[in-house]
Amino acid sequence: ISEMTTSLSRLLKDISKGTSNLISIRHELNLIKDYFTIQQYRYGGTITMDIRIDDEDLINQEILKFTLQPLVENAIFHGIEPKGTTGKIDIHIYQDYNHNIRIDVTDDGVGMSEEQIRNLLADESLRTSDFFKEIGFCNVHKRLQYEFGNEYGLTINSEKGKFTTVSILLPFKESKEIHD
């Protein structure tokens, strides 16, 4: 109870403080770790999360606050939970061949069809019956594009019954926040 309460209080404190939308990836990872701690207790430890960082300098780069949380939430609720067994989320942070930052959030859940992928980030997806599932993706995608430009945002790769990977593309832009 103590660990879960501490994680929840840190999340609530972060939601209520500060007006800056841009934070370091390090800060964002701390937020997602707190969120995941709460979910692990909710699911009785049946879900795990692994974070791989190819270059530690990448965690000093900027990201919009609460970019990862909706992606991890969707991985749990719409990827892993429907399969009815244990599941894993893998977060991989690396620099691509264009020197942009990529963050892949992969779950080993039920996957998505090509049609679901095509509709997920499109504006017309907001009119489907999966409104709440899809608005998180659409919202994160649009926020990233508004902040960094249309070449940035989310892409999705999935295989039905096996996995879903949501990739975040960010510019290489060092955070101005104090590195802790």
Side-chain angles (χ1 to χ4, degrees), residues 79-144:
I80 295 170
E81 186 178 286
K83 79 177 188 171
T85 62
T86 60
K88 181 177 182 181
I89 296 170
D90 180 54
I91 299 174
H92 183 203
I93 302 171
Y94 59 101
Q95 200 165 16
D96 71 8
Y97 60 92
N98 286 326
H99 302 290
N100 289 310
I101 307 300
R102 283 210 178 263
I103 303 174
D104 293 342
V105 179
T106 303
D107 69 73
D108 64 353
V110 297
M112 290 187 269
S113 69
E114 287 295 322
E115 182 181 356
Q116 287 172 307
I117 292 170
R118 276 193 307 273
N119 291 331
L120 200 53
L121 297 173
D123 289 335
E124 58 268 13
S125 70
L126 298 178
R127 291 186 282 258
T128 71
S129 61
D130 292 324
F131 175 77
F132 290 106
K133 174 182 174 183
E134 297 176 358
I135 195 157
F137 282 103
C138 189
N139 183 6
V140 170
H141 182 62
K142 288 187 181 305
R143 286 176 56 223
L144 290 168

Side-chain angles (χ1 to χ4, degrees), residues 61-78:
Q61 300 303 306
E62 290 184 332
I63 190 169
L64 286 170
K65 187 188 281 189
F66 296 111
T67 296
L68 289 174
Q69 187 277 331
L71 306 183
V72 171
E73 181 176 321
N74 277 299
I76 295 168
F77 296 142
H78 303 291

Side-chain angles (χ1 to χ4, degrees), residues 28 46 52 66 77 101 122 127 136-137 157 166 169 175 177:
E28 181 74 355
T46 61
R52 293 180 296 137
F66 296 111
F77 296 142
I101 307 300
R127 291 186 282 258
F137 282 103
N157 181 28
V166 179
L169 181 64
S175 174
E177 116 183 357

Side-chain angles (χ1 to χ4, degrees), residues 3-42:
E3 186 179 18
M4 195 162 85
T5 304
T6 301
S7 292
L8 179 60
S9 75
R10 278 194 302 251
L11 275 174
L12 292 173
K13 180 181 175 186
D14 213 278
I15 289 169
S16 65
K17 77 171 187 174
T19 56
S20 176
N21 285 331
L22 287 174
I23 59 172
S24 69
I25 292 174
R26 172 193 326 269
H27 189 134
E28 181 74 355
L29 288 173
N30 288 333
L31 292 172
I32 202 61
K33 287 174 188 174
D34 284 333
Y35 172 78
F36 193 76
T37 295
I38 295 165
Q39 294 305 323
Q40 266 192 309
Y41 281 105
R42 178 179 178 200

